[in-house]
Amino acid sequence: MSRINKLQVYYHEREVGTLALYKNRLAAFEYGSSWLADGFPISPFSLPLEKKVFISKQDPLEGLFGVFSDSLPDGWGRILVDRMMRKNGLNPNESGNLDRLADRRGARNHNKW
């Protein structure tokens, strides 16, 4: 399975910005210009509404921003997803956070979150 390195982030069918993998372990996020014009900060403390590239910290959220980390399954949910992946012949250790955030059915063509 090829790893996803970049996702377009949407809110109610409207593009918010781009989430990308930085240095193979950290998240980088940048708001899109139309969202900057009349959107809102999706995470006021870590992602204020500014034109810049935000780089996450490794800890405590495994290189993600909280708003995206909260979208991933918790510990028990991750165990269940990993079991399902193994049952379907996939190695969960080869899936990064962006892979887990992406809807793999649609993300292959669109890489939307």
Side-chain angles (χ1 to χ4, degrees):
M1 171 169 64
S2 63
R3 290 187 78 179
I4 291 178
N5 294 316
K6 183 170 79 168
L7 295 173
Q8 295 307 117
V9 178
Y10 286 81
Y11 176 76
H12 292 284
E13 304 295 319
R14 186 167 166 222
E15 185 176 345
V16 176
T18 303
L19 179 67
L21 195 58
Y22 175 71
K23 292 190 176 180
N24 241 5
R25 62 189 178 108
L26 300 175
F29 178 78
E30 182 176 28
Y31 287 107
S33 55
S34 87
W35 190 266
L36 282 168
D38 62 357
F40 58 87
I42 60 173
S43 182
F45 295 112
S46 60
L47 297 171
L49 195 59
E50 298 175 16
K51 182 167 179 55
K52 69 180 254 186
V53 176
F54 298 91
I55 306 294
S56 66
K57 296 181 172 115
Q58 181 62 35
D59 295 321
L61 302 171
E62 298 180 4
L64 280 178
F65 295 101
V67 66
F68 302 115
S69 181
D70 285 347
S71 297
L72 292 170
D74 62 7
W76 176 244
R78 188 170 181 139
I79 288 170
L80 295 176
V81 169
D82 288 357
R83 285 181 187 168
M84 182 189 68
M85 289 177 76
R86 284 187 190 96
K87 184 177 178 180
N88 289 298
L90 300 171
N91 182 350
N93 297 325
E94 292 176 358
S95 293
N97 285 328
L98 267 58
D99 297 297
R100 291 175 181 271
L101 284 169
D103 174 16
R104 294 299 286 191
R105 293 163 295 175
R108 286 196 181 118
N109 296 323
H110 304 290
N111 292 338
K112 290 183 179 180
W113 181 83

